[in-house]
Amino acid sequence: MEVKTEEVEVIEVESSSVAVAGELEPRSVGRPTKYKGQETLDKATEYINGGFKDRDEVIPSAAGLARYLGTSKRVLYDWAEAHEDFLHTLTALNTEQERVVLSGGLSGQFAPTITRVVLNNHGYTDKQQVEHSASNGAAGGFAITWGNNNAG
């Protein structure tokens, strides 16, 4: 029995392309990004530099920034991975949050428990050192120390 073979041209097509009449046409996949370069950076900077207060927020946060930009926190982190300038913006957001909470905690504006929780996210720790009385009856005591593990 004789088998006929034909040469067939194979065209690899990516999932984001469509083959039309032998040509490839690019096609978007998914929702278009809301990231608009400098426009997004400017709006984020506005939020960080006091815009959060205009929205009745006590401290700037990633959740607040996401809401301000009309997106989600996960998208903010995706933008930071894809755009170095936006990574710097998120770093500025965290720095401003740390500054506001530290100042508010020291001035008594914020409850100590909330201050401690937020500052823990910025690398601050509190540590208790408890000394028990010695066998000779010497009194012991404790000290609470604050430190910042964010060296650099």
Side-chain angles (χ1 to χ4, degrees):
M1 175 173 179
E2 191 175 316
V3 177
K4 283 186 162 183
T5 59
E6 251 183 72
E7 277 192 44
V8 176
E9 183 180 350
V10 176
I11 300 174
E12 290 187 29
V13 178
E14 294 181 25
S15 62
S16 63
S17 300
V18 178
V20 178
E23 295 182 19
L24 294 178
E25 271 184 27
R27 170 177 79 175
S28 300
V29 174
R31 201 177 269 188
T33 183
K34 291 182 179 181
Y35 187 79
K36 304 295 181 209
Q38 193 60 48
E39 180 183 331
T40 300
L41 295 171
D42 290 345
K43 192 168 181 182
T45 300
E46 178 182 289
Y47 172 83
I48 294 166
N49 290 336
F52 67 93
K53 293 176 188 174
D54 298 337
R55 300 174 63 81
D56 294 325
E57 295 177 17
V58 178
I59 63 172
S61 66
L65 178 60
R67 181 78 186 253
Y68 190 69
L69 297 176
T71 192
S72 69
K73 277 182 20 177
R74 177 68 246 162
V75 169
L76 294 183
Y77 300 125
D78 290 344
W79 289 351
E81 286 181 23
H83 308 283
E84 187 174 344
D85 287 344
F86 197 78
L87 175 61
H88 295 306
T89 298
L90 280 187
T91 301
L93 171 75
N94 286 327
T95 300
E96 182 63 7
Q97 182 184 79
E98 179 182 353
R99 187 194 71 75
V100 169
V101 171
L102 186 58
S103 294
L106 291 172
S107 69
Q109 179 184 0
F110 301 140
T113 304
I114 297 302
T115 300
R116 185 177 304 117
V117 168
V118 175
L119 289 178
N120 280 340
N121 291 333
H122 290 282
Y124 291 81
T125 60
D126 61 340
K127 175 173 54 171
Q128 285 188 357
Q129 296 175 339
V130 179
E131 296 177 23
H132 298 282
S133 60
S135 60
N136 65 5
F142 71 94
I144 298 176
T145 58
W146 284 85
N148 185 343
N149 292 335
N150 280 345

